[in-house]
Amino acid sequence: NNRWLLLLIVFFMGIRIFGLDQYYHQDEYRWVQQVYVEKFGEVDSPHPPVMQSLFSLGGKLFGYNNLRVVPLFFGILNLLLIFAVSLKLTGNKKISYIASGFYLINVYSLIANLMIDIDGTLMPFLVLLAYYFYLKVFKDSDKKFILPLILVLLVGLLTKLSFVLFVVALAAEYL
């Protein structure tokens, strides 16, 4: 029975949908310049290619004035992953709903889910997904998740160099 999780997702969207039409501010507009090559030409990005590719795809699908849809999408995935990781760690659905509920009402989460950047939703998504796969491999002894774990770790490293901090933390937990 996941109606509570569905209710959390609906509430999540209801709170954040009104922020999708905000104007781009400072670095956000720089992201638009980097991905909207038809208008701005080739603009170099200081980051590895993953986020630029995601924003470029988002711009082509939803329009470059609607790039906030990309972090919102990853915000929803983060909500689901928080539920899944909490459930995997505790085995208690109530605790998982509470953890997801805290993410839903957290002010940083609200801002991050609408902010065009790397650190707000994509990096937490990659961390949560990698940790979920890590738990599947090392807690559940399900070896078929080793390849997905490695792939997510590689994507994380191709997204932002600071992802190496999570890799080190994961290695420390394993040891």
Side-chain angles (χ1 to χ4, degrees):
N1 185 356
N2 286 327
R3 72 171 178 239
W4 289 109
L5 186 58
L6 182 61
L7 185 63
L8 284 172
I9 293 169
V10 168
F11 191 56
F12 179 92
M13 288 298 296
I15 292 172
R16 286 153 176 82
I17 197 112
F18 298 107
L20 287 175
D21 63 347
Q22 294 179 64
Y23 291 114
Y24 297 140
H25 302 281
Q26 297 177 348
D27 286 350
E28 291 180 319
Y29 196 73
R30 182 80 173 141
W31 278 107
V32 176
Q33 290 175 329
Q34 291 171 18
V35 300
Y36 193 4
V37 293
E38 293 85 9
K39 182 174 181 181
F40 295 101
E42 293 290 330
V43 176
D44 289 333
S45 173
H47 300 291
V50 172
M51 199 69 211
Q52 189 171 352
S53 299
L54 287 172
F55 280 134
S56 180
L57 177 63
K60 290 174 184 165
L61 290 174
F62 304 106
Y64 293 95
N65 289 329
N66 299 309
L67 287 181
R68 292 190 194 285
V69 171
V70 174
L72 182 64
F73 172 74
F74 282 102
I76 293 168
L77 294 178
N78 286 340
L79 178 72
L80 296 172
L81 280 168
I82 288 169
F83 181 84
V85 168
S86 299
L87 187 59
K88 176 95 18 224
L89 289 172
T90 66
N92 187 325
K93 273 193 169 184
K94 287 181 183 179
I95 292 173
S96 300
Y97 289 126
I98 291 169
S100 300
F102 280 140
Y103 176 72
L104 175 100
I105 62 171
N106 182 289
V107 173
Y108 173 77
S109 162
L110 176 65
I111 294 167
N113 294 158
L114 295 171
M115 188 169 47
I116 299 174
D117 74 342
I118 296 173
D119 300 308
T121 56
L122 184 65
M123 291 299 284
F125 168 76
L126 294 170
V127 166
L128 287 165
L129 188 60
Y131 193 59
Y132 180 78
F133 289 151
Y134 172 86
L135 291 173
K136 292 292 279 181
V137 171
F138 295 105
K139 183 179 181 187
D140 298 345
S141 299
D142 194 345
K143 301 301 179 203
K144 69 181 177 194
F145 286 93
I146 289 175
L147 183 60
L149 173 61
I150 291 168
L151 289 173
V152 172
L153 292 174
L154 288 173
V155 169
L157 292 169
L158 290 173
T159 301
K160 193 166 183 183
L161 186 58
S162 62
F163 190 78
V164 76
L165 296 172
F166 171 70
V167 175
V168 169
L170 204 57
E173 180 176 323
Y174 176 75
L175 295 175

